[in-house]
Amino acid sequence: MNHLAIVDDDIVLLHILQDIFEVRGLQVSAFNDPVAALKAIKELKPDAVLSDVLMPNLTGFELCRELRSDKSFAKTPIFLMSAKHSIGELSKSMMSGADEYIIKPFQIDEIYEQLKQFYKKKNNPIIIRPLDS
Amino acid sequence: MIFRQNRSWLAWCELAILLAVLFIIHMVYNMDWLNWSPNPFIFVVLYFSLRYGTRIGAASAVGASLLHILTYLQINGDLYGLFDQWVQAKWFVCYWGIALFVGHVSSDLRFRYAILADEFEDNKQQLAKMDTSYHDLLFVKKALETKVVGAQESMYTLYKIAKALDSEDSEIIFTDAVRLCKDLIQAGSIVIYRMSPGGDVLRLKVYYGAEAHYPSTVFLDQPSLYALVCKEKTVQIRQEGESAAIPMLAGPLLDENKQIIGIIGLNGLDFVALNKHTMDLFRLILTWMGESCVKAFQKEQKLNEQRYFPNTRVMKPDYFYAKLNEETIRATDFAQKFLLLQIPIEFSEMEETDALIEINGLTQQMLRDEDAIAYDSFRGELLFLLPATSPELASRIEDRIRDRFNRGALE
C-alpha cells in the first residue's frame, strides 16, 4: 500500500494527517472538498481512502457509496472517521460499503496497521470454485 | 396557671405561725398595735381571706379579734370601753367584713377556677386523643397512598413489560428482556441462553454485567443449575458450593408446548430488595417473553424466505445489518462484545445462487446457531456476525474460515 487519499473538511486535521502518513512513507492526496475529492480519487485510484463522515455537500457515507459502486474500487479499503459515536452508525457505514468506522480521536499507528491489513485482505479474497472442479 | 394550695393544714399552720409571731412580738416588745394606722391585723385578715377563702379568712378574723382584745386588755386593763366606742368597734366590723366579703369573693373565684381547670384537663385529654387519632389517620393515609402508588407502579411495570416484549423480532425481545431484568429486578448481571435445536446444549445469547465468565456453551448432560431448570421447568436457585459463574437465580422460557426455548439467569441480586413481588415479576417476564418469542419465531420462520438467499442460511444484507444494529445496541448498553468479520469473496465461473449454496454448505458446520452469515454483493464480501465473541479472536476465526474454504475448494 503506497498511496492514501484523505478527505476532511477540517483543514488543520487534514494537514496533520497528511504529514503523519507522509512521514510513514505513504504518498498522500489530501482533499478538503468532498465533491472535488470524489472526482479526483476516481482518477487517481489510491490504494486506500480515509474520509471524514460529516462534511458539507457530500457526506462520508455518500462518498464511500459512490466509490464502492465503482468496480475499480472493489479492493480499496475505505475507512470512515467521525467524532459521532451513536448506535446505528456502524451498520450505516457497512451499508455504505466502508470497511471500518473509526471514532475520533484515534491512534494513527493503529489506523495505519488496520489500513495495511485491510489492503492485504481485500486483495486476498476467498475464491469459490465449483466443487467438481 | 393560677396557684392552688390544696393542702389545708398548711394554711392553718401558716395562720397559726403568723398569729403566734404577732403575739410574741406584742409580748416581747409590748407593742401597741391598736395605735398603728392602718391596723396591721387588717392586712393579716385580707391576706388570708384573699389567699384561702372564707373559712381561713374567718379563722384569721377570729385570731385578729382575739389579738386585738388581748392588746386592748393589756393597755386599758379592762374590756369595758372596747365596744362602747365606734373607734374600737369599727375594727371588728372591718375584720369580719373583710373576712366574709373578700373570703367569699376569693372562694367563688377559686370555685370557678376549679371548674375551668377541670374543663381544661378534659380538653387536654380530648386533645391528646385527637392527636393520637390524627397520627393514626396520617399513617392510614400514607399506607393508602403507598398502595395507590404501588398499584400505579405495578400497572406501569406491566405496561413496560408488555411494551418491551411486544415485538416481532426475537433479537429485540432478548435485548429488552435483559433491560427489564436490569431495571425492574435490579439484577447486577444477566445471562440469556437459547436451547439448541437438538435440546441438549444451551448457547449463550446475551449477557450483561460484571460476571463475564458465562460459558458460551452449556452441556445439559452434566448436572448444573441449568440442567435442573430444564428438568423442573421452574425457577431454580443456585445450590451452595456451585461456581460463581452460575447464576443465583435461573428460570425457563417455555413455548406453547411447555418445551424450553431458553433460560434467563440472574446474578448480583440485592437480597434486601428481593421479595415475593420480585420473584413474581421474574416469572411474569419469563412467561411473557416465552410467549413473545414463540410469536416472533413463528413470524421469523415465515420471513425466512425473505431473510435468506434461497436454500441457504446466508442472510441478505438488509437483515444482517438489522441484526448488526441490535448487537451494537447490546454492546453499547450491556458492554456485550461481538465479532464482525468481513471477508472478500469472488465467484470464479459460478453463478451467485450456486456459489451461495456452496458457501452455506461449507460454513454451516462452523457456525453456532446464534451466529449469522451474509453476502453483500455491493461490498463483494461475506459478512460474519458472532455474538458474545471477543474481537481479539478475529484473526484466528478468519484463518479458520479461510482454511475451511480452501480445503472445501480443493476437496
Side-chain angles (χ1 to χ4, degrees):
Chain A
M1 194 182 80
N2 299 315
H3 186 188
L4 173 67
I6 305 174
V7 189
D8 198 327
D9 59 327
D10 181 346
I11 295 173
V12 177
L13 181 64
L14 182 70
H15 287 307
I16 290 170
L17 289 172
Q18 184 179 14
D19 292 346
I20 290 171
F21 281 109
E22 277 177 350
V23 167
R24 281 162 177 76
L26 289 177
Q27 179 198 337
V28 178
S29 303
F31 307 94
N32 69 335
D33 176 9
V35 180
L38 178 62
K39 197 179 169 188
I41 289 169
K42 281 189 174 181
E43 284 172 10
L44 289 169
K45 297 200 182 339
D47 297 325
V49 177
L50 182 62
S51 169
D52 189 21
V53 172
L54 295 172
M55 295 183 292
N57 303 324
L58 192 72
T59 67
F61 294 129
E62 290 164 339
L63 176 85
C64 181
R65 182 164 281 278
E66 285 291 325
L67 290 174
R68 197 59 85 199
S69 304
D70 188 335
K71 288 290 172 196
S72 59
F73 282 88
K75 293 180 178 179
T76 308
I78 304 174
F79 281 21
L80 295 178
M81 51 184 178
S82 174
K84 191 180 171 190
H85 187 198
S86 68
I87 296 162
E89 293 295 298
L90 175 62
S91 47
K92 206 172 165 186
S93 75
M94 290 289 290
M95 279 188 266
S96 71
D99 292 296
E100 195 67 90
Y101 183 80
I102 310 158
I103 309 295
K104 292 178 190 173
F106 47 78
Q107 291 288 322
I108 296 290
D109 285 332
E110 280 180 24
I111 302 304
Y112 183 47
E113 279 305 312
Q114 282 186 329
L115 278 169
K116 285 197 290 188
Q117 281 177 14
F118 268 91
Y119 180 76
K120 196 176 158 190
K121 191 159 98 171
K122 285 265 178 192
N123 288 282
N124 182 25
I126 293 172
I127 297 167
I128 296 288
R129 294 188 180 85
L131 284 173
D132 51 7
S133 68
Chain B
M1 189 176 173
I2 297 172
F3 169 76
R4 287 198 299 171
Q5 179 57 268
N6 292 321
R7 289 171 296 181
S8 59
W9 61 269
L10 205 68
W12 289 107
C13 287
E14 203 179 319
L15 176 62
I17 289 165
L18 188 67
L19 290 174
V21 167
L22 288 172
F23 179 71
I24 290 163
I25 291 169
H26 169 71
M27 293 300 284
V28 173
Y29 298 105
N30 204 18
M31 195 77 76
D32 181 8
W33 304 113
L34 305 184
N35 284 330
W36 284 35
S37 185
N39 188 332
F41 299 137
I42 293 275
F43 293 103
V44 173
V45 176
L46 191 61
Y47 168 75
F48 282 98
S49 302
L50 266 178
R51 185 168 164 81
Y52 298 116
T54 312
R55 193 183 297 172
I56 305 289
S60 67
V62 170
S65 299
L66 288 173
L67 277 174
H68 191 112
I69 291 167
L70 188 68
T71 310
Y72 187 86
L73 197 62
Q74 276 194 340
I75 292 164
N76 298 306
D78 58 51
L79 293 171
Y80 294 113
L82 184 61
F83 299 103
D84 283 351
Q85 298 166 22
W86 173 245
V87 176
Q88 290 299 321
K90 70 178 180 185
W91 291 117
F92 293 96
V93 174
C94 284
Y95 298 152
W96 286 96
I98 287 168
L100 294 173
F101 180 72
V102 176
H104 177 72
V105 170
S106 172
S107 293
D108 190 46
L109 284 174
R110 290 168 69 80
F111 178 69
R112 286 188 198 179
Y113 173 76
I115 292 171
L116 288 173
D118 287 345
E119 281 179 10
F120 174 73
E121 283 301 321
D122 281 349
N123 287 336
K124 219 166 109 177
Q125 284 174 11
Q126 293 289 335
L127 186 68
K129 277 185 189 171
M130 277 179 69
D131 196 45
T132 313
S133 302
Y134 174 72
H135 280 100
D136 289 348
L137 281 171
L138 269 184
F139 182 75
V140 170
K141 181 176 168 263
K142 210 170 177 182
L144 285 172
E145 276 175 0
T146 311
K147 286 262 180 199
V148 170
V149 171
Q152 283 173 341
E153 265 185 17
S154 300
M155 283 173 71
Y156 181 62
T157 304
L158 287 176
Y159 169 73
K160 269 174 87 175
I161 295 172
K163 197 176 171 211
L165 298 180
D166 185 28
S167 172
E168 292 180 339
D169 187 334
S170 63
E171 295 296 328
I172 293 173
I173 293 172
F174 281 114
T175 309
D176 285 341
V178 171
R179 198 169 284 125
L180 286 172
C181 291
K182 179 170 149 261
D183 294 345
L184 300 181
I185 304 176
Q186 282 155 12
S189 173
I190 301 138
V191 62
I192 301 182
Y193 283 98
R194 267 196 73 178
M195 182 66 83
S196 67
D200 54 346
V201 167
L202 290 170
R203 304 278 190 201
L204 181 60
K205 179 73 189 166
V206 194
Y207 68 82
Y208 157 77
E211 280 86 356
H213 305 296
Y214 295 117
S216 55
T217 305
V218 175
F219 297 98
L220 295 171
D221 54 352
Q222 293 162 7
S224 68
L225 180 74
Y226 301 109
L228 191 64
V229 171
C230 289
K231 188 184 165 196
E232 300 294 332
K233 294 181 181 172
T234 53
V235 175
Q236 299 291 326
I237 297 170
R238 184 172 76 196
Q239 299 299 307
E240 199 179 334
E242 280 194 280
S243 156
I246 302 287
M248 285 181 189
L249 208 63
L253 294 169
L254 301 170
D255 66 9
E256 70 271 33
N257 300 318
K258 302 289 173 200
Q259 295 302 306
I260 291 195
I261 52 177
I263 286 180
I264 301 183
L266 307 178
N267 239 336
L269 292 164
D270 178 4
F271 280 98
V272 176
L274 196 66
N275 51 27
K276 187 180 173 294
H277 173 70
T278 322
M279 290 297 285
D280 288 345
L281 211 56
F282 183 43
R283 286 194 189 96
L284 185 69
I285 291 170
L286 287 167
T287 309
W288 215 316
M289 191 182 162
E291 287 172 8
S292 299
C293 278
V294 168
K295 281 183 204 161
F297 292 157
Q298 285 168 353
K299 183 88 180 175
E300 284 166 10
Q301 199 72 33
K302 286 178 192 167
L303 281 173
N304 275 352
E305 280 184 22
Q306 296 169 34
R307 190 190 297 263
Y308 298 111
F309 287 103
N311 305 318
T312 70
R313 298 289 291 174
V314 179
M315 286 177 105
K316 291 177 182 172
D318 288 350
Y319 294 96
F320 181 86
Y321 293 133
K323 195 174 167 69
L324 174 65
N325 212 30
E326 199 57 35
E327 285 300 330
T328 315
I329 290 170
R330 285 175 192 164
T332 310
D333 292 357
F334 312 140
Q336 176 177 300
K337 293 173 181 174
F338 70 90
L339 175 60
L340 174 67
L341 278 179
Q342 303 131 260
I343 303 179
I345 192 154
E346 285 180 6
F347 303 147
S348 159
E349 308 158 10
M350 283 185 84
E351 290 295 320
E352 185 182 285
T353 314
D354 295 336
L356 289 173
I357 291 171
E358 190 177 327
I359 290 166
N360 185 61
L362 289 169
T363 54
Q364 282 315 299
Q365 293 298 317
M366 302 175 67
L367 300 176
R368 301 169 300 183
D369 303 326
E370 301 312 315
D371 299 337
I373 176 173
Y375 170 65
D376 188 344
S377 58
F378 177 64
R379 301 174 61 87
E381 285 179 338
L382 276 180
L383 304 168
F384 294 84
L385 181 63
L386 284 67
T389 306
S390 171
E392 290 158 12
L393 300 171
S395 59
R396 274 173 59 187
I397 293 172
E398 186 176 336
D399 288 345
R400 279 176 57 193
I401 293 169
R402 281 179 180 274
D403 183 53
R404 181 72 192 93
F405 275 96
N406 289 337
R407 279 192 293 117
L410 292 171
E411 280 166 3

